Amino acid sequence: MPFDLFCTAIWEKPEPIAMSAFRSFFMCFVVAAAIVIPISAQLSPDFYDKLCPQALPTIRSILEKAIYHEPRLGASLLRVHFHDCFVNGCDASVLLDDTPNFTGEKTAGPNLNSLRGFEVIDEIKEAVNSACCGNVVSCADILAVAARDSVAILGGPSYQVLLGRRDARTASLNDANSDIPRPIFDFPALLSNFQNHGLDLNDLVLLSGGHTIGLARCTNFRDRIYNETNIKPKFAASLRGICPKEGGDDNTATLDATTANFDTEYFKDLLKLKGLLHSDQELFKGVGSASDGLVQYYNNNPGAFFADFGVSMIKMGNMKPLTGSDGEIRMNCRKIN
């Protein structure tokens, strides 16, 4: 059934199904006809307040159910938003499927067999189209809100998301391969990558703190647990049971000791030389560097981490968004209209 037939009916008295469906359709038709999407070059926290006040509650409701059944999804959706924004801005390009004539970003090295949660985004998009009686909420905005709500549902901060992004009509496999920071990066490479995206050292440490939730694949930490010395020996030994020298590439380990809770355990683990990824431990080497100080500060000040994490997420979400008449609002997040 078309999405507009699912819009909420507002009639007080029961009616025959055919008449009820007709009136629901009619109401959606009237609402859709009256929708005027704001044309603005600026993102705004109240972009959907009048356009579709049901949009954000609908996203939250679906996420609560999904994360309840699989807590790992929260980290997955946070990561999808991150990987989207780091490739030519926050434009939902990462959601586009390959076609016979088009190669998207899902098969890029940092994404292949790694990014997940796309089915939840599909479910959210369909539900939001229904709640809004039309295609008015972009996939890029859904990713931004889903990342924020995932963090909040898992115990983290609920920062204010700026909205009004539009969706890209294209994607770049090459840019996804070159622009997304890798788990093998050393500190200079990490900082340079973030600075190239208009972010700074604080953002690097704070956004890396998102690794307080989620899992990593064996292929991304194998070299660290077998060949590096700045790692707790017992910690490395325990991981070797999960990640053998050969095979088991898709076996997973938790990124910190409390993987289903958004907290400061990630920073505590770095102080103990128990960072899972090479890139994680690069933030704390115990030499008194600026990043060392930030790791210690946020470990000791959870409230500051929560507040500052939200600021960095908003900053990342402002990276080259499409607004106004640029791009489009996709009906289906996996393909252009």
Side-chain angles (χ1 to χ4, degrees):
M1 184 181 292
F3 68 84
D4 47 8
L5 294 184
F6 286 94
C7 290
T8 303
I10 59 172
W11 317 108
E12 296 180 359
K13 297 181 180 179
E15 301 182 52
I17 293 176
M19 180 60 69
S20 178
F22 171 77
R23 292 200 180 185
S24 292
F25 175 84
F26 178 75
M27 287 299 296
C28 282
F29 176 80
V30 171
V31 171
I35 287 174
V36 177
I37 298 176
I39 301 298
S40 172
Q42 299 292 327
L43 301 181
S44 165
D46 58 359
F47 188 84
Y48 295 108
D49 284 4
K50 293 182 179 179
L51 189 62
C52 180
Q54 300 87 0
L56 271 59
T58 299
I59 296 172
R60 177 70 179 233
S61 175
I62 292 174
L63 283 174
E64 286 176 345
K65 294 175 184 177
I67 293 173
Y68 174 80
H69 289 292
E70 187 186 355
R72 183 186 176 190
L73 275 173
S76 298
L77 294 173
L78 174 61
R79 190 160 177 259
V80 171
H81 180 47
F82 181 94
H83 282 218
D84 179 45
C85 290
F86 265 62
V87 183
N88 300 315
C90 309
D91 58 7
S93 59
V94 72
L95 299 179
L96 291 171
D97 283 342
D98 293 350
T99 71
N101 302 312
F102 172 82
T103 301
E105 298 167 11
K106 291 180 178 177
T107 55
N111 298 335
L112 183 63
N113 298 321
S114 180
L115 288 190
R116 55 195 302 278
F118 299 116
E119 294 79 8
V120 177
I121 297 300
D122 294 339
E123 182 183 355
I124 290 172
K125 178 61 175 172
E126 182 178 355
V128 168
N129 281 356
S130 173
C132 298
C133 296
N135 182 37
V136 297
V137 180
S138 70
C139 301
D141 276 349
I142 288 174
L143 284 182
V145 175
R148 186 274 308 277
D149 286 355
S150 293
V151 167
I153 291 167
L154 292 175
S158 183
Y159 52 90
Q160 189 175 57
V161 178
L162 301 181
L163 301 164
R165 299 168 190 80
R166 289 168 64 85
D167 301 324
R169 293 190 177 100
T170 187
S172 175
L173 178 68
N174 289 336
D175 290 345
N177 277 318
S178 62
D179 289 353
I180 298 171
R182 302 294 187 103
I184 60 171
F185 277 10
D186 60 15
F187 179 78
L190 288 168
L191 184 58
S192 175
N193 178 282
F194 271 63
Q195 289 174 336
N196 289 340
H197 288 92
L199 303 172
D200 58 24
L201 174 62
N202 281 25
D203 300 314
L204 169 59
V205 174
L206 287 160
L207 295 176
S208 296
H211 282 179
T212 186
I213 52 176
L215 310 174
R217 296 164 62 228
C218 165
T219 187
N220 290 322
F221 60 85
R222 177 183 284 119
D223 187 65
R224 171 157 168 74
I225 63 174
Y226 286 100
N227 300 316
E228 296 185 9
T229 58
N230 63 334
I231 185 171
K232 204 80 166 178
K234 288 185 178 180
F235 177 64
S238 69
L239 290 168
R240 290 173 192 147
I242 298 171
C243 182
K245 284 188 175 181
E246 295 183 2
D249 285 0
D250 291 330
N251 295 349
T252 59
T254 60
L255 283 162
D256 80 3
T258 57
T259 188
N261 297 315
F262 195 96
D263 53 27
T264 56
E265 188 69 25
Y266 169 81
F267 299 116
K268 183 182 295 184
D269 285 353
L270 296 187
L271 295 175
K272 295 178 179 179
L273 300 184
K274 293 172 66 175
L276 181 63
L277 304 178
H278 175 81
S279 56
D280 288 330
Q281 198 60 59
E282 283 290 291
L283 300 181
F284 183 81
K285 297 181 179 180
V287 296
S289 66
S291 63
D292 279 6
L294 287 169
V295 169
Q296 291 170 321
Y297 173 71
Y298 288 122
N299 175 66
N300 294 330
N301 296 277
F305 170 53
F306 276 33
D308 294 351
F309 178 82
V311 172
S312 285
M313 286 295 293
I314 293 169
K315 187 175 178 182
M316 184 185 77
N318 270 333
M319 285 165 36
K320 297 190 292 185
L322 299 174
T323 59
S325 59
D326 293 334
E328 65 181 14
I329 299 176
R330 289 187 218 134
M331 177 68 73
N332 180 332
C333 290
R334 293 176 179 264
K335 60 184 181 181
I336 61 174
N337 294 340

